[in-house]
Amino acid sequence: MAEVSAKTPDPMDIALGAAVRIRRRTIGMSQEALADQCGVSFQQIQKYENGANRISFSRLVQIARALRCRVTDLMDVFDGADMETAEDLNLLNRMRTPGALDLLSGYEKLAPDVRASILNLVRTLHAQQEATAATVVPLSMQTVAA
């Protein structure tokens, strides 16, 4: 069994925190409002959402009530086969990228043809970035002619 560092958040805590964040953002609630309803600081909500602090069951019940959902709605990511769970955890982790939820929210409001154009643009930019990264030679590897 692999040893887990005490300083590294558990992937399950990260996934649960991400689910809380996604639900909170979906209903348009701020961290401050959620914190007020749960009787904690907004910094504590940040720690829960980042997976830095574990959410106790009693706190999870408070959070679910404040978010107007069931506890099981926040824990759906843990259902299913191991492969599905790993994919869900990966998706939730990627949704923590700054701006990801805002981008997705705006994207889903666009017409299908505009979505296709944006997707093509992102793929092109990514390919260009990858090509540039592959051709950059570190200064330490370059030889200087005398």
Side-chain angles (χ1 to χ4, degrees):
M1 187 168 166
E3 191 173 315
V4 178
S5 168
K7 296 192 182 242
T8 304
D10 187 280
M12 296 293 187
D13 294 326
I14 292 171
L16 181 57
V20 168
R21 181 172 190 257
I22 289 168
R23 173 66 184 173
R24 177 183 60 75
R25 298 274 312 263
T26 299
I27 66 170
M29 181 182 284
S30 69
Q31 288 179 330
E32 292 83 3
L34 179 57
D36 286 344
Q37 291 188 38
C38 295
V40 298
S41 68
F42 82 91
Q43 292 94 340
Q44 185 62 41
I45 296 297
Q46 286 177 329
K47 290 177 183 179
Y48 289 150
E49 289 183 358
N50 290 327
N53 285 7
R54 288 189 172 163
I55 303 173
S56 69
F57 185 74
S58 58
R59 182 71 68 208
L60 184 59
V61 170
Q62 287 179 327
I63 290 171
R65 286 180 181 157
L67 296 175
R68 299 184 302 274
C69 67
R70 299 172 301 157
V71 169
T72 56
D73 294 334
L74 298 172
M75 298 175 65
D76 278 348
V77 69
F78 305 116
D79 290 342
D82 288 339
M83 183 54 112
E84 288 177 25
T85 301
E87 289 172 10
D88 288 345
L89 291 173
N90 182 38
L91 176 62
L92 284 172
N93 198 29
R94 290 169 47 205
M95 292 303 292
R96 294 176 55 219
T97 303
L101 288 175
D102 294 329
L103 186 61
L104 184 58
S105 181
Y107 181 82
E108 67 186 356
K109 294 174 187 171
L110 298 172
D113 58 326
V114 177
R115 286 184 194 170
S117 296
I118 290 175
L119 191 54
N120 286 332
L121 172 64
V122 170
R123 287 179 178 148
T124 300
L125 291 172
H126 181 257
Q128 287 176 348
Q129 180 178 332
E130 292 293 312
T132 301
T135 61
V136 173
V137 178
L139 187 58
S140 62
M141 303 274 302
Q142 296 177 1
T143 58
V144 178

